[in-house]
Amino acid sequence: VQLQASGGGLVQAGGSLRLSCSASGIIGSINRMGWYRQAPGKERELVAVSTSGGSTNYADSVKGRFTISRANAKNTMSLQMNSLKPEDTAIYYCNADPPLRSRGRDYWGQGTQVTVSS
């Protein structure tokens, strides 16, 4: 399995970015898929979840600004991020919720850096 997030970049506060997730064709077979982020010096946190049934859930810090979506048939997932704030600066990852496991530990693929300047 390969997990790869893309679409990050440098943006000014108030701007928008759209992240995409490629996950080796597994998105359609996993109930809960999510976007995580890890800021420097902080633990990784789950910021958005999408279920195969169509429900979504967001961390309070991003609620109303971020929108998660998935296309099971296309095995893709995205995260639309609007009204970005400097505190959104982090490396963003896509993964299942809970995260996929490999060799006894959580498996994390390639993340994408999001930097929001003030």
Side-chain angles (χ1 to χ4, degrees):
V1 174
Q2 288 188 334
L3 296 170
Q4 184 166 345
S6 62
L10 174 62
V11 64
Q12 289 188 331
S16 299
L17 283 173
R18 185 176 182 88
L19 306 183
S20 296
C21 175
S22 171
S24 296
I26 66 170
I27 290 177
S29 63
I30 294 180
N31 179 31
R32 294 174 61 87
M33 287 292 300
W35 285 95
Y36 299 74
R37 68 184 182 188
Q38 186 167 21
K42 295 187 177 181
E43 292 191 355
R44 197 168 348 225
E45 63 171 336
L46 179 63
V47 298
V49 173
S50 170
T51 72
S52 57
S55 62
T56 58
N57 212 344
Y58 299 91
D60 288 343
S61 58
V62 306
K63 199 171 294 183
R65 300 186 298 118
F66 289 11
T67 303
I68 186 173
S69 60
R70 62 192 280 181
N72 291 332
K74 297 182 180 180
N75 282 294
T76 58
M77 185 172 70
S78 63
L79 184 69
Q80 178 67 41
M81 305 186 297
N82 299 328
S83 302
L84 283 162
K85 304 175 180 180
E87 51 264 44
D88 294 319
T89 295
I91 300 175
Y92 285 71
Y93 302 86
C94 58
N95 209 328
D97 175 37
L100 299 177
R101 301 280 290 179
S102 176
R103 300 179 182 178
R105 58 196 298 176
D106 289 347
Y107 168 73
W108 294 97
Q110 180 177 328
T112 187
Q113 175 72 49
V114 172
T115 303
V116 185
S117 63
S118 57

